[in-house]
Amino acid sequence: MPDGLAGGSLSSGAVPTAGAPGGTGLLGGFPKPGTLPPLDSCPLPAALAHAAGSSRYWLPQQNETPAGAPPTPPSSPTNGFDVEAVRRDFPQLHREVNGHPLVWLDNGATTLKPRQVIEAVAEHYAMDTSNVHRGAHTLARQATQVYEEGRQAAAELLGTQDQDEIVFVRGTTEAVNLVAQSWGRANLGVGDEILVSAAEHHSNLVPWQLIAKERRARIRPIPLLPNGQLDQDAYRDMLGPRTKLVALTHASNVLGTIPPVADMIALAHRYGAKALIDGAQAVSHFPVDVTALDADFYAFSGHKIFAPTGIGVLFGKRELLESMPPWQGGGNMIDAVSFEETTYAPIPHRLEAGTGHIAGVAGLRAALHYLAGLDRETATAYEEQLTAYATGALATVPGLRLIGTAPGKIGVLTFLLGGTDPTALAAALDQQGIAVRAGHHCAQPALASFGLQSAVRASLALYNTEQDVDALVAALHDIQARSTSAVG
């Protein structure tokens, strides 16, 4: 029995799979060759029942590959992007884990940091430590310059000409909470509706639940189609005069889906609603232009775009930010304070109470400069090719079910392996130096739409390679073969 599989922990019936209905046709917890049922014999989960039985809903084509036919080999990514040059900038990619070279496929949780970011943070603490904005000395002026250059870099990344529309926060979670607690408290009332997609990370759902309960507003979920796309017909039907806000992911952290956010924002605006876009999984994968999207709010986390943890960005249209009351009070966000009255600083500082994560902004600035130095179109095309390669390669693993197959998705590959427990499978991969994530991925409603509570997720970044994918797929084949052999 292989390392990490002691006690047969991978042979669990707790996780439903499309390849193992009723437990028939299994060999040691895995489907026997040729026994997987056709897709059209697997009923849709109840949560996706709305997508069946009507021509107005799109359903994926059934798999017409003849039983027993060999899987189509994946095609390799194009060579227009020098991934090896990029990899040299990321020290962590060159270490070993459990005696194997590290294969980092947990980018959806956090990206690794290039040496330029590591050096920027180290330099701040070693040579340039100072608070910002209020000091009169040289180091304060230097630290303030770096801090505000970080704000300008974020504005350039998001395509806004007004850097005052950039608010520094701890991450996407704090950004959404800020909008919910400030804009939401001021603008939501009894019976108002907040549309939130079923693909959202909990960070773009729970804050809206909290403020909706306080303001006696209503959360309405935008349902998913079987391939992980948002149901656009249902969305159009849900919009109405009570819709005040639409909260959408720009790229799903568990399905990889990229919704048509520009079209969805335009529809929301027809009803006078605002739109907040969670870009945490988007900004590192493809260029974003909030002006072209006409987003009212847009948020991302630094640690998912090669920057440090604890720093993030909220974009808000100037007129909206200026209308929002402070969420937190304290230093930095004031103009004048007395016991009789306090007046507040202009945006963005009004929404940035206290000392910010100065070293984090130095690291964010370095990360965004690093990314700007790459050919983003070529990098995006490379990732698209690698995602297609990985999708094809995973299809060669018998009993593997991919969750989320929307066209044009980012490199998020969430899957189940027939008869296995996701956590145990991730641990077994870790023994071979392959880092993936298992669990609900802070997106329980998304998984519940597919009748699941847990799954394994491999997520790609621009420094991943075909060899990384091959290592994952070979490990999955090996784990499955040895588990089947041990049980048999």
Side-chain angles (χ1 to χ4, degrees):
M1 184 170 292
D3 293 340
L5 303 184
S9 59
L10 280 176
S11 297
S12 168
V15 181
T17 70
T24 60
L26 295 182
L27 177 64
F30 295 94
K32 295 178 182 178
T35 63
L36 284 175
L39 286 176
D40 55 5
S41 71
C42 299
L44 287 174
L48 294 177
H50 70 280
S54 173
S55 61
R56 71 195 295 257
Y57 293 111
W58 181 90
L59 289 173
Q61 295 294 317
Q62 303 299 323
N63 184 359
E64 298 178 355
T65 301
T72 302
S75 58
S76 300
T78 58
N79 295 321
F81 178 70
D82 191 351
V83 66
E84 293 302 327
V86 171
R87 288 176 64 85
R88 286 194 290 271
D89 287 328
F90 289 80
Q92 193 167 325
L93 290 174
H94 307 287
R95 62 161 294 177
E96 290 188 348
V97 172
N98 294 321
H100 298 270
L102 173 64
V103 177
W104 184 257
L105 297 175
D106 196 18
N107 297 288
T110 197
T111 53
L112 304 183
K113 320 307 173 195
R115 57 180 175 78
Q116 292 87 341
V117 170
I118 298 166
E119 291 167 0
V121 174
E123 182 177 357
H124 170 79
Y125 283 125
M127 301 297 294
D128 299 329
T129 297
S130 174
N131 213 322
V132 296
H133 295 148
R134 296 175 297 280
H137 52 77
T138 298
L139 291 182
R141 291 194 296 271
Q142 291 177 351
T144 298
Q145 180 177 343
V146 170
Y147 198 79
E148 295 305 323
E149 285 178 356
R151 196 186 306 277
Q152 180 61 37
E156 292 171 0
L157 176 83
L158 295 181
T160 175
Q161 300 296 315
D162 186 354
Q163 73 178 55
D164 288 345
E165 293 182 324
I166 299 297
V167 180
F168 286 133
V169 289
R170 289 182 299 159
T172 305
T173 299
E174 185 170 71
V176 178
N177 275 276
L178 191 163
V179 176
Q181 294 297 320
S182 178
W183 181 90
R185 181 171 286 116
N187 290 277
L188 295 173
V190 177
D192 287 341
E193 294 181 350
I194 305 166
L195 306 189
V196 179
S197 89
E200 297 308 312
H201 189 282
H202 297 163
S203 294
N204 204 19
L205 170 57
V206 177
W208 302 117
Q209 291 176 323
L210 291 171
I211 196 64
K213 183 176 181 180
E214 175 185 320
R215 305 302 298 167
R216 298 173 63 191
R218 179 186 180 198
I219 301 289
R220 297 189 66 194
I222 306 166
L224 293 170
L225 294 174
N227 69 344
Q229 288 179 310
L230 299 190
D231 188 333
Q232 297 301 307
D233 293 312
Y235 173 64
R236 284 188 287 269
D237 289 346
M238 293 166 67
L239 288 165
R242 301 302 298 177
T243 308
K244 297 299 181 185
L245 182 97
V246 176
L248 299 170
T249 180
H250 203 171
S252 167
N253 77 308
V254 72
L255 304 172
T257 305
I258 303 174
V261 293
D263 293 339
M264 297 180 77
I265 291 170
L267 282 171
H269 287 168
R270 289 187 188 179
Y271 290 88
K274 306 304 180 188
L276 180 144
I277 309 302
D278 172 358
Q281 297 291 336
V283 287
S284 68
H285 294 290
F286 52 83
V288 172
D289 188 333
V290 294
T291 303
L293 293 175
D294 199 20
D296 299 294
F297 300 102
Y298 195 100
F300 72 87
S301 300
H303 74 97
K304 295 186 179 181
I305 190 170
F306 317 114
T309 55
I311 186 64
V313 166
L314 169 67
F315 158 84
K317 290 180 177 177
R318 172 177 281 274
E319 62 270 21
L320 291 175
L321 295 181
E322 288 179 336
S323 72
M324 290 165 53
W327 174 38
Q328 297 175 318
N332 193 55
M333 50 77 67
I334 57 89
D335 174 37
V337 175
S338 71
F339 283 107
E340 291 71 33
E341 181 184 18
T342 294
T343 56
Y344 305 118
I347 63 165
H349 307 295
R350 181 196 308 157
L351 301 172
E352 295 178 346
T355 297
H357 187 3
I358 302 169
V361 174
L364 177 66
R365 170 180 172 265
L368 299 187
H369 285 173
Y370 178 83
L371 197 62
L374 301 177
D375 184 332
R376 291 300 306 277
E377 291 187 2
T378 302
T380 297
Y382 171 79
E383 285 196 60
E384 290 172 350
Q385 291 283 335
L386 187 61
T387 299
Y389 177 85
T391 301
L394 287 172
T396 69
V397 181
L400 187 141
R401 174 191 175 191
L402 190 65
I403 311 301
T405 57
K409 61 180 281 185
I410 61 169
V412 171
L413 303 160
T414 299
F415 61 89
L416 297 170
L417 191 60
T420 70
D421 173 74
T423 301
L425 179 57
L429 292 171
D430 177 59
Q431 291 301 308
Q432 300 191 42
I434 302 169
V436 297
R437 189 152 293 258
H440 56 64
H441 312 293
C442 294
Q444 289 177 305
L447 285 179
S449 293
F450 295 88
L452 304 174
Q453 296 180 344
S454 180
V456 178
R457 182 186 70 189
S459 45
L460 305 173
L462 53 77
Y463 43 62
N464 286 121
T465 64
E466 179 182 338
Q467 290 72 35
D468 292 338
V469 173
D470 292 345
L472 170 66
V473 172
L476 290 170
H477 276 286
D478 180 62
I479 290 168
Q480 185 195 57
R482 288 195 284 168
S483 296
T484 302
S485 175
V487 174

